[in-house]
DNA sequence: GGCATAAGGATTTTT
DNA sequence: TCCTTATGCC
């Protein structure tokens, strides 16, 4: 018990002890959010005496769940039964496993990922952009809209089409007993909604509910939470409205803004002591985020004392920027800073390229975080498809992926014919080939391929038998039977692909070793929900998008591309306040020193364009004429200056304009008033 | 069916 | 620029 509170400050302790009823913990960046939520869980179990199995703690990522589980178990020492601490989706998966039969479906369903989803959509409709349909379907599901509802709501012809695709997509999933990511939550909610007894029982089981990163929840997740705590209202959410950066993905910032309206008698706690960053960094971050209108209002209070000022790098173009950053990093490393304590962040991934070149030239090792995920790699997905077919012969979707891998002389045309005939016979493709004679198949595909197909079916059946008898050995038999490593034979990236396949095989063996009772379908569903855990280790600096950096911290942070158009990024659907929060998230990753870089010109999308420095410099108080320069004005009468459009001129006078300075300048006889931040001194 | 070339598009990303 | 997709030819 003392152990739990020893590491908490007063605010954190109060929040931890407030166990009953709805609690909103607004935790600023670096304020000990994870420590607080984990301590609260430990306190519930060890201090209040709640059985761990009666608690439920939800996160968004497996990584967060894993970290919290380890820390919580460490604090709780001996518990006979561990608390349920998992992602929203994992919770949905578990719940559906036990209850999906109530809606007339079998519980051996397979979870499909976004890629699978898009393939299915594309097959149904290739006229409308697949990503648009995919996101619309996601939206429908998250608003609990049936295809019928979607159709009724559709005004434009295009949207009627999308509603139609949605309907067919749902039929396809049901037919093949598939479930997509949204279903894991939506079907869970539906079951609770349609079965009041079940809802009551479930709510009574999870007496105490906690949610991490609450600012990232969407509307449906809120509704699910309301169902889950309907019998007790013991819900504690932790989050930071200023770090809501997933609005574009459906996260609903209003959930955290209006938590007290969704749950009556909410107790609110603010954690504002920042244990991460030096004072100058927090000053800049606070100044920036203060420009947002829609926020609950917090201010990060420094506890780590003063430190180095925030540095602004100004370069002509991206190669100069890369050079400057490489030089700065080299200096840091030479002065004894460990490479792993340095990170370069950017708003869009393409910006990493120029920096990569600069780092390579300077011989600095770097690690790119993000990029393509292991489970999204084609070779890994091929293997997964094989296992899926072996688990379920009727999974046409996966069957089609592997039917010509390695090459069996079946192209799109042949596969289409097979599928059509199978459909007409009301069979899966697998069943169709199995039940057809060689002669019948010869009518559909090239002659020599008919036999190959029959053999393929036999092989699948025999490997499936092995899987039942000895799951552990199955993976070797799979490779040997189908020569899967030949799929990418004599391709330039063959070696890398084989390495990934071996990695996958090792993963499989690990899983079976750790879960000897599990079969292939448990392995598959686990996989789909698994993301690549970024290993943060090794002697290289890190480069990643600002989104990917959320939750991480580094001693030294460099943010590149601080220009209008990049940060803030503009485009349709862009939200300046969310862009500002991205700036805030990126600034607050830094513990010791923050460096912000901008260029005047950048090569992007095949062309070079001129760029203005980000307005965020101004807002963060980092511009000439800003707070720091109040005493010693950057410009004075007589200075020779330059403006992007008006060219060179001479300052005639300096006056104040809010927090900024306004200069009266004589440009070759034309006098103009211009804000100081747009002016460059010569 | 598979390869080569042309055309077009282009945040952020977890589950 | 770089990547994905469409098209045309063998």
């Amino acid at each position: 018990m003392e152990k739990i509170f020893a590491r908490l400050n007063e605010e954190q302790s109060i929040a931890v002890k407030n166990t009953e009823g709805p609690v909103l913990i607004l935790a600023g960046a670096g304020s000990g959010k994870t420590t607080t939520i984990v301590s609260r869980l430990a306190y519930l179990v060890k201090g209040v005496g709640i059985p761990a199995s009666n608690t439920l703690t939800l996160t968004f990522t497996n990584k967060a769940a894993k970290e919290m589980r380890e820390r919580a178990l460490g604090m709780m020492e001996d518990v006979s039964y561990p608390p349920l601490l998992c992602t929203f989706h994992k919770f949905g998966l578990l719940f559906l496993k036990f209850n999906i039969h109530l809606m007339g479906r079998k519980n051996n369903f397979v979870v499909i990922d976004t890629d699978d989803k898009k393939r299915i959509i594309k097959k149904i409709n290739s006229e409308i952009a697949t990503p648009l349909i995919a996101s619309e379907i996601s939206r429908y599901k998250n608003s609990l809209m049936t295809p019928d509802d979607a159709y009724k709501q559709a005004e434009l012809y295009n949207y009627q089409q999308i509603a139609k695709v949605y309907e067919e997509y749902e039929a396809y999933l049901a037919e093949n007993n598939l479930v997509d990511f949204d279903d894991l939550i939506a079907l869970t909610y539906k079951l609770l909604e349609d079965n009041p007894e079940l809802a009551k029982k479930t709510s009574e089981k999870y007496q105490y509910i906690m949610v991490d990163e609450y600012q990232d929840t969407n509307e449906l997740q809120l509704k699910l939470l309301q169902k889950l705590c309907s019998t007790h209202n013991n819900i504690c959410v932790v989050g930071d409205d200023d770090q809501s950066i997933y609005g574009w993905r459906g996260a609903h910032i209003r959930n955290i803004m209006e938590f007290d309206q969704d749950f009556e008698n909410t107790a609110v706690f603010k954690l504002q002591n920042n244990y991460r960053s030096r004072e100058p960094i927090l000053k800049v971050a606070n100044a920036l985020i203060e420009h947002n209108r829609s926020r609950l209002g917090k201010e990060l209070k420094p506890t780590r004392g003063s430190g180095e000022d925030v540095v602004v790098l100004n370069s002509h173009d991206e190669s100069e920027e890369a050079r400057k950053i490489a030089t700065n990093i080299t200096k840091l490393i030479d002065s004894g800073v460990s490479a792993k304590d340095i990170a370069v962040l950017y708003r869009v991934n393409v910006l990493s390229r120029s920096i990569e070149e600069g780092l390579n030239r300077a011989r600095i090792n770097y690690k790119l975080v993000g990029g393509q995920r292991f489970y999204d790699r084609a070779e890994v997905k091929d293997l997964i498809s094989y296992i899926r077919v072996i688990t379920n012969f009727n999974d046409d979707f996966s069957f089609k992926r592997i039917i010509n891998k390695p090459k069996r002389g079946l192209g799109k045309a042949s596969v289409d014919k097979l599928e059509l005939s199978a459909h007409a016979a009301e069979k899966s493709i697998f069943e169709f080939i199995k039940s057809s004679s060689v002669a019948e198949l010869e009518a559909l595909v090239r002659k020599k391929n008919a036999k190959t197909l029959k053999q393929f079916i036999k092989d699948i059946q025999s490997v499936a038998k092995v899987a039942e008898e000895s799951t552990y050995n199955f993976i070797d038999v799979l490779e040997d039977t189908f020569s899967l490593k030949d799929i990418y034979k004599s391709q330039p990236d063959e070696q890398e692909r084989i390495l990934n396949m071996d990695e996958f095989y090792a993963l499989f063996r690990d899983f079976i070793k750790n879960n000897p009772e599990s079969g292939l379908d448990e392995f598959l569903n686990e996989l789909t929900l698994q993301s690549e855990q970024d290993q943060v280790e090794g002697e290289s600096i890190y480069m990643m998008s600002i989104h990917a950096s959320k939750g991480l911290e580094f001693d030294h942070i460099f943010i590149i591309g601080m220009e209008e158009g990049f940060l803030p990024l503009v485009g349709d659907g862009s939200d300046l306040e969310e862009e500002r929060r991205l700036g805030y998230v990126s600034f607050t990753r830094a513990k010791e020193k923050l460096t912000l870089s901008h260029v005047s010109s950048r090569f992007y999308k095949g062309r070079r364009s001129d760029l203005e420095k980000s307005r965020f410099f101004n807002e963060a108080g980092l511009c000439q004429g800003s707070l720091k320069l109040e005493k010693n004005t950057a410009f004075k009468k007589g200075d020779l200056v330059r403006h992007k459009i008006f060219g060179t001129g001479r300052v005639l006078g300096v006056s104040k304009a809010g927090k900024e300075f306004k200069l009266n300048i004589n440009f070759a006889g034309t006098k103009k008033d211009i804000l100081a931040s747009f002016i460059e001194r010569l």
Side-chain angles (χ1 to χ4, degrees), chain A residues 118-237:
Chain A
K118 286 184 181 159
R119 282 158 177 273
I120 295 169
I121 291 170
K122 184 145 199 186
K123 211 197 120 213
I124 299 171
N125 179 310
S126 54
E127 306 235 310
I128 308 170
T130 309
L132 172 69
I133 305 180
S135 73
E136 285 304 303
I137 290 182
S138 201
R139 214 195 74 217
Y140 294 144
K141 290 197 177 186
N142 280 297
S143 323
L144 299 170
M145 283 167 71
T146 62
D148 234 30
D149 298 331
Y151 200 81
K152 276 178 206 144
Q153 204 199 60
E155 282 172 9
L156 296 165
Y157 175 71
N158 239 13
Y159 275 81
Q160 293 178 3
Q161 294 298 105
I162 293 175
K164 218 175 185 175
V165 178
Y166 178 31
E167 188 175 12
E168 286 180 46
Y169 171 80
E170 287 294 87
Y172 185 93
L173 294 196
E175 214 172 285
N176 294 283
N177 205 15
L178 303 173
V179 157
D180 67 18
F181 285 136
D182 297 318
D183 285 335
L184 289 173
I185 319 262
L187 297 183
T188 295
Y189 178 80
K190 267 187 204 154
L191 281 167
L192 293 173
E193 174 79 10
D194 296 344
N195 301 278
E197 271 306 303
L198 176 65
K200 185 163 174 282
K201 208 181 84 192
T202 310
S203 174
E204 281 168 354
K205 173 162 171 64
Y206 300 110
Q207 288 288 320
Y208 291 85
I209 295 174
M210 291 201 275
V211 184
D212 187 29
E213 304 277 17
Y214 190 69
Q215 76 283 353
D216 291 339
T217 52
N218 64 26
E219 208 179 334
L220 180 59
Q221 283 157 339
L222 164 63
K223 290 178 96 166
L224 175 63
L225 290 170
Q226 285 178 315
K227 276 264 180 277
L228 288 176
C229 63
S230 59
T231 64
H232 48 70
N233 243 9
N234 294 326
I235 179 168
C236 168
V237 304

Side-chain angles (χ1 to χ4, degrees), chain A residues 144-356:
Chain A
L144 299 170
M145 283 167 71
T146 62
D148 234 30
D149 298 331
Y151 200 81
K152 276 178 206 144
Q153 204 199 60
E155 282 172 9
L156 296 165
Y157 175 71
N158 239 13
Y159 275 81
Q160 293 178 3
Q161 294 298 105
I162 293 175
K164 218 175 185 175
V165 178
Y166 178 31
E167 188 175 12
E168 286 180 46
Y169 171 80
E170 287 294 87
Y172 185 93
L173 294 196
E175 214 172 285
N176 294 283
N177 205 15
L178 303 173
V179 157
D180 67 18
F181 285 136
D182 297 318
D183 285 335
L184 289 173
I185 319 262
L187 297 183
T188 295
Y189 178 80
K190 267 187 204 154
L191 281 167
L192 293 173
E193 174 79 10
D194 296 344
N195 301 278
E197 271 306 303
L198 176 65
K200 185 163 174 282
K201 208 181 84 192
T202 310
S203 174
E204 281 168 354
K205 173 162 171 64
Y206 300 110
Q207 288 288 320
Y208 291 85
I209 295 174
M210 291 201 275
V211 184
D212 187 29
E213 304 277 17
Y214 190 69
Q215 76 283 353
D216 291 339
T217 52
N218 64 26
E219 208 179 334
L220 180 59
Q221 283 157 339
L222 164 63
K223 290 178 96 166
L224 175 63
L225 290 170
Q226 285 178 315
K227 276 264 180 277
L228 288 176
C229 63
S230 59
T231 64
H232 48 70
N233 243 9
N234 294 326
I235 179 168
C236 168
V237 304
V238 185
D240 182 358
D241 51 318
D242 293 331
Q243 291 187 70
S244 166
I245 55 174
Y246 286 105
W248 53 276
R249 211 171 63 189
H252 223 347
I253 193 172
R254 83 150 281 290
N255 282 4
I256 193 162
M257 307 286 292
E258 295 173 14
F259 181 82
D260 59 345
Q261 290 168 41
D262 297 327
F263 298 91
E264 266 177 44
N265 301 317
T266 292
V268 181
F269 301 97
K270 285 186 187 180
L271 307 182
Q272 304 188 85
N273 283 346
N274 177 288
Y275 299 101
R276 180 185 293 153
S277 312
R278 296 284 177 186
E279 208 174 324
I281 298 167
L282 293 182
K283 198 173 150 201
V284 167
N286 280 330
L288 174 68
I289 201 65
E290 209 178 283
H291 288 79
N292 269 6
R293 292 194 53 195
S294 137
R295 65 190 291 255
L296 291 162
K298 272 185 284 71
E299 188 165 344
L300 297 178
K301 292 171 188 147
T303 66
R304 292 195 60 227
S306 59
E308 288 184 70
D309 275 339
V310 173
V311 171
V312 176
L313 292 182
N314 175 4
S315 311
H316 181 254
D317 61 19
E318 69 275 6
S319 51
E320 186 184 337
E321 176 181 56
R323 221 175 311 132
K324 283 186 183 170
I325 288 188
T327 308
N328 274 292
I329 290 176
T330 304
K331 272 188 206 152
L332 283 174
I333 293 177
D334 288 348
S335 73
V337 173
S338 171
K340 64 177 194 313
D341 296 327
I342 304 170
V344 179
L345 310 181
Y346 32 80
R347 175 68 232 266
V348 286
N349 281 310
V350 281
L351 294 190
S352 73
R353 182 150 283 123
S354 55
I355 300 297
E356 283 186 71

Side-chain angles (χ1 to χ4, degrees), chain A residues 69-138:
Chain A
R69 188 178 306 115
E70 278 163 11
R71 288 178 64 175
L73 290 178
M75 277 183 179
M76 288 192 263
E77 291 156 2
D78 54 317
V79 273
S80 48
Y81 195 93
L84 184 50
L85 199 169
C86 61
T87 63
F88 269 95
H89 292 85
K90 179 72 188 277
F91 175 76
L93 174 69
L94 291 170
F95 185 84
L96 292 183
K97 276 281 166 191
F98 284 107
N99 300 297
I100 201 168
H101 66 273
L102 293 172
M103 51 190 349
R105 288 185 63 165
K106 290 194 201 135
N107 77 346
N108 61 351
F109 57 80
V110 168
V111 183
I112 58 165
D113 66 17
T114 324
D115 214 54
D116 300 332
K117 177 178 172 183
K118 286 184 181 159
R119 282 158 177 273
I120 295 169
I121 291 170
K122 184 145 199 186
K123 211 197 120 213
I124 299 171
N125 179 310
S126 54
E127 306 235 310
I128 308 170
T130 309
L132 172 69
I133 305 180
S135 73
E136 285 304 303
I137 290 182
S138 201

